[in-house]
Amino acid sequence: MKKFLGLFVTITIISCSSGDSDPAPEPENNVPTASSYILPNNNGVCTGEEISDTEIRVDFQWNDFQDVEDNNLDYTFTLRNLTTNLVVATENLTGTSTMVTLEKGTSYSWNVEATDSEGDSVTGATWQFQTPFNAISNYLPFPATLTSPDNGATVATLDVVFTWVGNDPDEGETELLEYAVYVDTANPPVQEVANMLTAETHTETLTAGVYYWKIQSKDPSGNISNSEIRQFIIE
C-alpha cells in the first residue's frame, strides 16, 4: 500500500491596518476676553478738540483685549447717537484707539468687539457720554438703560417688575433724577402708569397680552430724555 504523506500547510492571514491613524483633533480655539475702556469717561461729559461751534473731535481709547493664542486681534468700534438711536460710526481697526468728529450737546454710546484669526469674537461693555455745549448749560439726562423685562421676553406673572438704570452727566444730578414709566399695548407706548419715581424699579399689575414699555427721565432743571422701547409678552 502506498503511503501518502499529507502535507498540511497552515496559512496564517494577518490583517493589518493601512498604517494611517486618525489625525489628532484640532485644539479648541479660545474666545478672546474683553478688556476695559479708557476714554472718554463713562457717564460723563467728554473733552476733545474743538472743530467748530457745532462739532468736537473726540478720542476713543481702550485696553488690548486678551487672547492666549492670538496677539493680533481685529477690533470693530461702534458708536451710537442716543437721541436718534442710530449708529453714526462703525470702524474696523487693528489698534486700540480712534478719533471721531461728533456733534456738540449730544449723548452717545459706544462699544468695541474683538475678533481673533479663527473668527471667534467678544464684545466689551457699552459706555455712554455727553459731548459739551458751547456755553455752560445743564445737560439732558442720559436715556435710562432698561434692564428688566428683557426685550421680547415672555413673563409668566401678571405682576410685572420693571427695572432700569439712570444717569445724568451733570455732577450730583443722577441721584436727583425722577422717572415716569410708560406701559402700553400700542407702540410707541403713551400710557403713563407711574411718575415722579426716584427708585429705579416699579411693579405694575397687567393682563395677558403684548406690551411695550419705556422710561422717561427728568432732571431737576426739567430736562427730559426717553429710553429705548422694549416689548414683552404676558401669557
Side-chain angles (χ1 to χ4, degrees), residues 199-210:
E200 296 173 333
T201 184
H202 173 71
T203 301
E204 188 72 17
T205 301
L206 303 168
T207 57
V210 178

Side-chain angles (χ1 to χ4, degrees), residues 44 46 54 80-84 102-109 129-133 139-140 142:
C46 72
T54 60
R80 184 181 297 272
N81 183 317
L82 288 177
T83 301
T84 63
L102 302 175
E103 297 178 25
K104 289 184 178 179
T106 305
S107 295
Y108 293 91
S109 68
F129 65 95
Q130 171 83 35
T131 52
F133 290 104
Y139 293 97
L140 292 175
F142 288 113

Side-chain angles (χ1 to χ4, degrees), residues 18-138:
S18 63
D20 295 331
S21 59
D22 292 334
E26 292 289 335
E28 184 177 352
N29 184 59
N30 289 303
V31 177
T33 301
S35 190
S36 57
Y37 302 157
I38 303 172
L39 290 174
N41 291 331
N42 193 29
N43 295 323
V45 179
C46 72
T47 59
E49 178 188 355
E50 297 282 338
I51 301 299
S52 68
D53 288 341
T54 60
E55 292 181 320
I56 185 172
R57 190 163 175 81
V58 178
D59 185 20
F60 294 85
Q61 299 179 21
W62 56 94
N63 292 302
D64 282 311
F65 285 31
Q66 303 300 311
D67 192 307
V68 296
E69 303 152 333
D70 203 333
N71 293 324
N72 299 311
L73 297 173
D74 294 320
Y75 296 101
T76 300
F77 166 83
T78 302
L79 178 70
R80 184 181 297 272
N81 183 317
L82 288 177
T83 301
T84 63
N85 201 34
L86 296 177
V87 173
V88 295
T90 302
E91 296 184 33
N92 295 318
L93 307 161
T94 55
T96 57
S97 66
T98 187
M99 296 192 75
V100 184
T101 299
L102 302 175
E103 297 178 25
K104 289 184 178 179
T106 305
S107 295
Y108 293 91
S109 68
W110 65 288
N111 61 32
V112 175
E113 179 185 45
T115 304
D116 64 17
S117 58
E118 298 294 327
D120 290 318
S121 62
V122 64
T123 301
T126 297
W127 277 19
Q128 58 188 9
F129 65 95
Q130 171 83 35
T131 52
F133 290 104
N134 284 328
I136 297 174
S137 181
N138 187 268

Side-chain angles (χ1 to χ4, degrees), residues 43 81-84 107-108 128-130 140-146 164-169 179 215-217 224-228:
N43 295 323
N81 183 317
L82 288 177
T83 301
T84 63
S107 295
Y108 293 91
Q128 58 188 9
F129 65 95
Q130 171 83 35
L140 292 175
F142 288 113
T145 301
L146 307 185
W164 61 91
V165 177
N167 274 292
D168 193 295
Y179 305 101
I215 298 297
Q216 186 177 87
S217 305
I224 288 175
S225 65
N226 290 283
S227 72
E228 66 172 330

